[in-house]
Amino acid sequence: MTITTEPARRAMRPVRILLFALVWFSCAWFGSWELNPNNATRLFAAISLVEDGDATIDEFAALTIDKASFAGHAYLDKAPGMTLAALPAVWIADAVTGTRAADFGAVPGGPEFETYLRLRTRIAVAIGPAVLTALAAVLLFDLGMGLTGSAAAGLFAALGYALGTPIWGWSTTLLGHAVVADCYGVAFWAIWRGSGGRSGTRRYAAIAGAALGWAVVVEHQAVLAAVPIGLWALWQLRDRADRLRLAGIAVAAGIVALLPLAAYNIIAFGMPFRVGYSGVVGWEGMHQGLFGLGWPRLTVMRAVLFSFQLGLVWVAPVLLLAPLGLVAWLRRPKRRALAITAIATALIVLLVNAAYVYWDGGNTTGPRFLIPAVAPLALGLAAEWWRAGGRGERLAMTLLLTLSIAVNAMIAAAEIYTPPLVTFPVGQWVAVAFARGLLRTVPSEWFGWSPWAGFALWAVLAVPALAWLARRVSRAA
């Protein structure tokens, strides 16, 4: 299935290294508001697990509207994947600073407590979502290059995915949207790599199964969009004599990835099978249908794709190219199965978003529940670069990617949590906050720099890296 040769792939190693470093740096450099209820409730549960050995968040209950109640105690009301991933960050910060939540009293609060939360949130992002998004970007580069024979196509897909969409902004938070997309991207890559007759096929089967399993630990509904990816894996293995063994390895790896979910439930509730959403407090819609899921609505689909308030096209204009590329692959027999899988995966994410009672996501810049669809759509970016024939067409695509990166640099630096009543977040909230210098960067939060100085340092490092990557792949072409 690979068009490029192994020597050519090895020649791209410097590109992979710099791409990983650029994406990780960009995600870890900026920060989101640590007291956002979605951010905070996940971290509160991690703090309780590390510092108290239980999963109750009673002492933090007054600080978040996102919580569940069981047997008179407050708990995390989300899937626990991001909480479990944050455990090392809490442990590291506690060990280095010697500070614990109990030091701030029975009902923690105040500027010093916010600093306590901010440090643990930033460390958790740096070793969690930032790493996974950087890894997914590198693997999408590898996948796009292998499928098209063009390193430029792979880079276009990778940068479009990681920096040209709100994947970037959500990778600065403890919410799971970007991580689920990352897991889908890893699974696509592993299935492709493992079905090409290479050595290490069992390893790739395990990676694919583990990635999809972990996506479900992070967001339970991720299992729905994982179905077409799993079916594509079976299709890719249809002519192999060891297909049952490989399928078994993938399933076993997925089960292993699910074990932390069972362990959390046992610690929290004394049983391996319980969903935090079943005890959610204050969000009555979660008790409708299947934890808030009903029938998809066409009006919601239009809103999350095109409306000024939430439309994906306004926060990720480069994704307008993705359907064109996927349609082009539908016409090629060797790429048709992959194109169908990518379209089905993205469509299921869209349908789930449209079926959810709280479909608009509250405080959000762009449609946050639609973010997992960005991974399969990124494959369409590689396909469209491959399809585009003329220099002028690719120049226009590059300019669109540049615009998308600029928009998402503002979002990541200024505000991923736009209030729900803002009618055009990019123009009326994010751009205004950015222009006023209301930014969150590592130097401005921790070293006393001005926010603009912190952003300028990112730009001084990131822009030359982007230029070098573009020049390197163009020379390879």
Side-chain angles (χ1 to χ4, degrees):
M1 294 181 62
T2 306
I3 297 175
T4 53
T5 64
E6 286 303 316
R9 291 167 54 81
R10 288 193 294 271
M12 289 291 105
R13 186 173 298 169
V15 171
R16 293 185 180 89
I17 293 172
L18 184 58
L19 176 62
F20 182 95
L22 171 64
V23 173
W24 178 85
F25 167 63
S26 298
C27 295
W29 193 250
F30 301 108
S32 60
W33 185 38
E34 60 278 352
L35 279 175
N36 173 272
N38 261 298
N39 245 346
T41 194
R42 290 171 166 89
L43 187 61
F44 292 155
I47 292 169
S48 292
L49 286 167
V50 171
E51 297 183 357
D52 302 328
D54 63 47
T56 64
I57 59 170
D58 295 337
E59 65 270 40
F60 307 113
L63 301 177
T64 178
I65 58 174
D66 289 337
K67 54 200 169 193
S69 179
F70 296 98
H73 292 287
Y75 290 88
L76 171 72
D77 66 338
K78 316 294 183 186
M82 298 306 294
T83 286
L84 297 173
L87 296 180
V90 175
W91 183 87
I92 291 169
D94 284 5
V96 171
T97 65
T99 307
R100 298 165 60 91
D103 298 336
F104 301 96
V107 182
E112 291 184 356
F113 179 66
E114 291 180 19
T115 301
Y116 164 92
L117 292 178
R118 188 178 307 123
L119 176 62
R120 284 147 185 81
T121 302
R122 300 298 182 267
I123 295 174
V125 164
I127 66 176
V131 171
L132 283 174
T133 296
L135 175 63
V138 171
L139 298 185
L140 285 170
F141 166 74
D142 189 58
L143 178 55
M145 181 175 63
L147 291 169
T148 64
S150 167
L155 184 63
F156 188 75
L159 292 177
Y161 171 82
L163 300 182
T165 74
I167 287 286
W168 184 356
W170 293 115
S171 295
T172 70
T173 76
L174 297 183
L175 278 69
H177 312 307
V179 170
V180 170
D182 296 337
C183 289
Y184 289 162
V186 171
F188 271 108
W189 172 84
I191 293 166
W192 165 72
R193 288 284 286 173
S195 59
R198 304 173 182 84
S199 60
T201 300
R202 285 179 287 185
R203 179 174 68 250
Y204 294 124
I207 292 172
L212 295 180
W214 184 248
V216 177
V217 180
V218 172
E219 294 287 355
H220 297 327
Q221 72 273 16
V223 68
L224 300 174
V227 170
I229 301 176
L231 293 176
W232 177 57
L234 294 175
W235 175 259
Q236 294 292 93
L237 298 174
R238 66 192 182 279
D239 296 326
R240 294 184 61 125
D242 59 348
R243 58 186 178 276
L244 293 180
R245 176 182 295 179
L246 294 174
I249 291 172
V251 170
I255 292 173
V256 170
L258 289 169
L259 291 180
L261 171 60
Y264 169 84
N265 284 336
I266 291 172
I267 294 171
F269 312 119
M271 60 184 70
F273 304 108
R274 172 168 273 182
V275 178
Y277 291 114
S278 63
V280 69
V281 174
W283 302 94
E284 296 305 318
M286 294 299 297
H287 301 294
Q288 302 174 15
L290 181 62
F291 300 116
L293 291 179
W295 290 101
R297 290 152 290 178
L298 184 60
T299 54
V300 173
M301 286 189 258
R302 287 201 299 264
V304 297
L305 289 173
F306 304 114
S307 73
F308 284 111
Q309 185 174 17
L310 286 171
L312 185 63
V313 299
W314 301 109
V315 293
V318 72
L319 291 181
L320 288 169
L321 303 172
L324 303 177
L326 292 175
V327 169
W329 270 357
L330 282 175
R331 297 169 180 160
R332 293 177 61 84
K334 290 184 178 181
R335 297 287 174 261
R336 188 170 297 147
L338 175 58
I340 291 172
T341 303
I343 292 169
T345 303
L347 182 60
I348 289 174
V349 175
L350 175 62
L351 291 172
V352 170
N353 190 170
Y356 187 40
V357 63
Y358 299 115
W359 59 271
D360 58 351
N363 286 23
T364 177
T365 305
R368 65 185 180 93
F369 296 124
L370 198 56
I371 292 304
V374 174
L377 292 176
L379 300 179
L381 297 181
E384 180 60 11
W385 186 274
W386 163 84
R387 186 206 63 79
R391 179 175 296 180
E393 190 173 359
R394 286 181 174 169
L395 176 59
M397 293 171 64
T398 301
L399 293 175
L400 188 60
L401 174 60
T402 302
L403 171 63
S404 293
I405 292 175
V407 168
N408 284 281
M410 289 195 301
I411 293 172
E415 189 59 86
I416 192 67
Y417 296 123
T418 300
L421 297 181
V422 179
T423 55
F424 185 46
V426 172
Q428 295 176 338
W429 194 269
V430 173
V432 172
F434 186 82
R436 292 177 178 175
L438 302 177
L439 316 177
R440 294 184 178 93
T441 70
V442 169
S444 60
E445 287 186 330
W446 301 106
F447 306 130
W449 292 29
S450 72
W452 275 120
F455 185 86
L457 180 56
W458 170 82
V460 165
L461 297 173
V463 172
L466 286 166
W468 186 90
L469 288 169
R471 180 173 176 79
R472 182 67 179 81
V473 298
S474 65
R475 289 178 61 189

